[in-house]
Amino acid sequence: MNRREWGRRLLGAALLAYTALAQATETPVWALDEPMPLRARYLLVGPDGGAVSDEDFRGRFQLITFGYTFCPDICPTTLLDMAEALRQLDGLPVQGLFVTVDPQRDTREVLKTYTAYFDPRILGLGGSPELVARAAANFRVRYARVETGPDPENYAVDHAAGLYLLDKDGLFLRKFAYGTPPAQIAAEIRAYASGE
Amino acid sequence: MRLRHLILSLLLALPLLAWAADGTATITADAPYVRQPPPSARAAGAFMTLRNTGQTALRLVAASTPAAGTAELHTHHEEDGMMKMRRVEAIDIPAGGEAVLRPGGLHVMLIDLHAPLAEGDSVPLTLHFDGGASLRVDAPVRRQIPTADHAPRH
Ligand SMILES: [Cu+2]
């Protein structure tokens, strides 16, 4: 090996190191108060007791919200708006999903009756507290059980509100803030559907 | 003398709190309604605008209803990216002012409903004010409508 060969190797090593360094600095570093990237995956229990995952709805848009049935107006408003958006999108493949953040009280039966009131096409998903926690963590949805009154059974669950839209491949498209009019949600889903 | 004075003030204070001298109520509950809960929901929210036309501030401290096991005064607020529902000790209605109980904010939370509420049902509520005065309100059950276009965001 001559000096020239050595020089080439050194340069190669330096380039490799430089590339590695560049990649390292490109790797996003999430500050604590910055939202973590969203991973739109879930494995939960559906109305019939079987497993339901994000992969079950390939070929359909998914409109997902997290909440609990004890909630007197935030969650009902969100579901009412979801139902109205679905109605306006009639004919487009869109799956509405309600994921409970209160699996202890929101049993399958409770969820089934609850979602049917808004639209029988909306599926209520729950499962073990661990499954729910994992799904919520993937969506960066925070929730916390809080006792509000003298009866510990009548607790509230603080939770992030809003609707999450996934595309037909299950990839996260965007979040709609709580209070977004259903006409706007429907218009945006229609735009995504025509642009694909 | 002191006792007589005390009794007299008590007698005077009670009716004065919610009723004007001419016998008309100084507190009214405008447009009360109960948001119809889905059949399997254990709780429902009651909303209204409380107007105090008197010259004394009023405090709503409790509510009761035969339609549910418990009625609590609640509020909602957004914090740390979460919607939080909390019990409040009282709802103040300033003299000549109002307190608005509306979705996304203050409400009377009816917990453990005895029966599902149908549209058109009327829920009797009794509002209890600091000092002992109370107001009877009949709140019709209403089915909510979806968020309208250009609705203000919370
Ligand atoms: Cu409440």
Side-chain angles (χ1 to χ4, degrees):
Chain A
M1 195 183 292
N2 56 27
R3 278 177 77 174
R4 208 169 159 171
E5 184 67 18
W6 263 110
R8 224 179 254 159
R9 286 201 178 184
L10 266 174
L11 187 69
L15 269 173
L16 260 175
Y18 178 76
T19 318
L21 198 74
Q23 273 171 352
T25 49
E26 267 171 29
T27 305
V29 178
W30 302 96
L32 279 176
D33 54 349
E34 243 178 290
M36 298 282 282
L38 193 150
R39 206 169 146 261
R41 307 296 302 269
Y42 58 84
L43 173 65
L44 295 159
V45 177
D48 304 321
V52 175
S53 86
D54 51 285
E55 294 181 4
D56 293 336
F57 305 110
R58 292 290 181 267
R60 272 189 259 181
F61 288 94
Q62 296 178 57
L63 200 51
I64 305 172
T65 188
F66 291 76
Y68 67 121
T69 70
F70 190 66
C71 179
D73 72 52
I74 306 293
C75 303
T77 298
T78 306
L79 282 175
L80 200 61
D81 289 348
M82 180 194 278
E84 174 61 18
L86 292 180
R87 197 189 61 76
Q88 293 184 16
L89 288 167
D90 212 13
L92 270 187
V94 186
Q95 179 63 53
L97 297 161
F98 176 69
V99 180
T100 181
V101 289
D102 185 13
Q104 281 93 341
R105 283 184 301 191
D106 290 344
T107 61
R108 261 162 42 211
E109 278 313 308
V110 168
L111 282 175
K112 217 188 270 185
T113 320
Y114 190 80
T115 52
Y117 171 81
F118 298 98
D119 191 315
R121 291 173 294 182
I122 300 174
L123 292 181
L125 305 180
S128 68
E130 292 73 27
L131 287 178
V132 167
R134 199 170 307 156
N138 282 345
F139 280 82
R140 308 301 163 212
V141 164
R142 295 166 63 208
Y143 64 99
R145 176 178 161 155
V146 181
E147 264 154 44
T148 59
D151 186 346
E153 266 310 291
N154 294 333
Y155 57 89
V157 185
D158 296 350
H159 63 95
L163 291 156
Y164 297 81
L165 177 65
L166 312 191
D167 70 9
K168 290 180 178 177
D169 298 318
L171 296 171
F172 172 70
L173 284 174
R174 64 157 294 173
K175 185 188 174 183
F176 296 103
Y178 174 73
T180 305
Q184 193 184 320
I185 295 169
E188 294 211 21
I189 296 178
R190 221 177 275 120
Y192 279 120
S194 62
E196 61 188 9
Chain B
M1 177 59 198
R2 262 184 92 178
L3 188 66
R4 249 183 76 191
H5 183 81
L6 186 70
I7 292 168
L8 198 67
S9 346
L10 276 175
L11 283 174
L12 280 170
L14 262 175
L16 271 177
L17 207 56
W19 308 94
D22 61 359
T24 54
T26 61
I27 183 85
T28 56
D30 293 349
Y33 72 97
V34 170
R35 177 177 184 151
Q36 188 193 24
S40 62
R42 275 176 60 205
F47 308 94
M48 67 198 76
T49 297
L50 293 169
R51 271 186 234 286
N52 180 1
T53 55
Q55 289 174 355
T56 318
L58 291 170
R59 303 195 88 191
L60 175 64
V61 291
S64 54
T65 177
T70 318
E72 292 179 358
L73 307 179
H74 280 194
T75 191
H76 264 120
H77 67 279
E78 200 175 349
E79 194 188 319
D80 305 328
M82 291 191 281
M83 288 297 194
K84 301 186 173 188
M85 179 166 69
R86 292 289 180 275
R87 204 161 83 102
V88 292
E89 285 305 314
I91 295 173
D92 287 307
I93 311 111
E98 59 183 39
V100 185
L101 283 64
R102 64 173 151 230
L106 291 167
H107 57 277
V108 177
M109 179 93 161
L110 314 176
I111 301 168
D112 288 326
L113 298 163
H114 295 316
L117 300 176
E119 216 177 347
D121 281 358
S122 188
V123 177
L125 296 172
T126 307
L127 305 177
H128 304 277
F129 295 89
D130 197 14
S134 63
L135 180 69
R136 188 35 219 275
V137 177
D138 285 309
V141 176
R142 271 191 7 212
R143 208 185 157 104
Q144 202 79 8
I145 54 162
T147 303
D149 263 342
H150 318 297
R153 290 192 181 190
H154 292 272

